[in-house]
Every structure is written in structure tokens, then in C-alpha cells.
Amino acid sequence: LIYPLIIILSWQYSAKPLSFAYNYFGEFFVFLLFGPALVMGGYFIQTGIFPDLKSFIMSLPLGFFTAAILFANEIPDFSDDKKSAKNNLISFCGPENSFLLYYLLIALGFLTILLSIALGYLGFISVFSFLLIFLAAQAGNILRENYSDKIKLMRSSKLTINIQTLAGIILILALLL
């Protein structure tokens, strides 16, 4: 039941009739599919154990950081998306205020890492992921100051990809050690 649902949600990201990416839900479904669905599905495949609350909580940072990648990538496309009636969170808040939602997504990612540490799901090594806040601040500042400069916005996207990648590596190491 879960796998067909994931396939349908993935397909409906851009396909009709639901077209989540065109109706303000693209970032939410990227969060679900690249956070909880991916991590919990991987947990189930590797262990044969149905995922629990622990695996759900530990999936949240990657979901938030991946949604932040999509969000940062949508800002340069705002005018084109508007012309093609693609309504995403950028069309909701406007490119000039998009840095606020970006910071929220990043903050939620780091807060869920903190939650995992507090619950004892992640070890001490995961604390090093908080060094990535400096990259997040740089990326957010680029979005705030250069929301209409496509070239500079690419730097913000790259920084966000680095945050997601490095946080993922640190969290995996925290689980393994």
C-alpha cells in the first residue's frame, strides 16, 4: 500500500489532475518524498521492520533541507513560473520575502536534529552539523539581498545543496558510530 502511494504522489508532483508543484504543494511533497518516505522506506528495506517514530523524526532534517533546495531553486524561476501558472511557495510570499520561508525550512531542519539529539537518537558527532548554520546564513542572505539576480541566486542553491549533503553525511556518521 505504501509503495503505490509513493509512486502516485511522485507522479502527481507535476502530472494532472493534482499537479502538486503547480498548486502550492510542491515543496511539501518534496519534503515528504525525500525525507520521511525515503528514510523510512530505506529503514524498512534494510531491516524488514516497519518504521517507527524514531525513524520518522530522524528523517525530518533531510526532508526540510531538500525542500529548502527546491525552494531556493524556485526563486530565480519566479517570473517564468508565474507566466505558466505554476503556484509554489514563492508565488505565495513573493521573491522579496522568500528568504523568510527559506530560513524557516533551514531552522526546522536544525531543530529536528536537535530533537533527535535530545531524544538520544543521534550521538555527539551530529553536533558538528550545526557548523553548517554559517552556510545557511550565507545562503539566506543571498536570497534576501539578491532575490532578482539569477546568477547570485545560483550560489544560494549550491550552498543549500552543500548543507543537505554535509548534514546527511554527518548524521549517517552519527548513526554508525
Side-chain angles (χ1 to χ4, degrees), residues 2-3 6 31-52 54-60 62:
I2 297 287
Y3 296 119
I6 290 171
F31 162 79
L32 282 179
L33 294 170
F34 288 89
L38 189 65
V39 172
M40 295 171 76
Y43 178 82
F44 179 72
I45 288 169
Q46 293 176 41
T47 65
I49 300 168
F50 193 78
D52 55 5
K54 177 181 177 180
S55 61
F56 174 73
I57 290 172
M58 292 180 55
S59 73
L60 296 177
L62 294 179

Side-chain angles (χ1 to χ4, degrees), residues 24 27 71-72 74-75 78 82 86-105 143 147:
Y24 298 105
E27 296 87 353
F71 189 75
E74 289 172 336
I75 296 167
F78 171 70
K82 191 173 180 179
K86 185 175 184 182
N87 296 311
N88 51 38
L89 289 181
I90 306 300
S91 57
F92 174 74
C93 68
E96 63 281 351
N97 294 316
S98 60
F99 71 96
L100 296 169
L101 283 176
Y102 176 82
Y103 280 139
L104 177 63
L105 289 169
L143 297 178
Y147 59 86

Side-chain angles (χ1 to χ4, degrees), residues 75-153:
I75 296 167
D77 301 330
F78 171 70
S79 58
D80 293 332
D81 287 347
K82 191 173 180 179
K83 289 175 191 171
S84 65
K86 185 175 184 182
N87 296 311
N88 51 38
L89 289 181
I90 306 300
S91 57
F92 174 74
C93 68
E96 63 281 351
N97 294 316
S98 60
F99 71 96
L100 296 169
L101 283 176
Y102 176 82
Y103 280 139
L104 177 63
L105 289 169
I106 293 295
L108 289 170
F110 284 113
L111 286 172
T112 54
I113 292 172
L114 195 59
L115 176 63
S116 291
I117 293 169
L119 293 172
Y121 299 160
L122 289 172
F124 177 75
I125 291 173
S126 56
V127 172
F128 289 107
S129 64
F130 290 94
L131 295 172
L132 300 171
I133 290 175
F134 296 107
L135 295 180
Q138 285 180 345
N141 285 336
I142 291 169
L143 297 178
R144 182 173 47 84
E145 296 169 2
N146 303 290
Y147 59 86
S148 61
D149 185 334
K150 288 186 177 193
I151 302 299
K152 290 183 180 174
L153 288 172

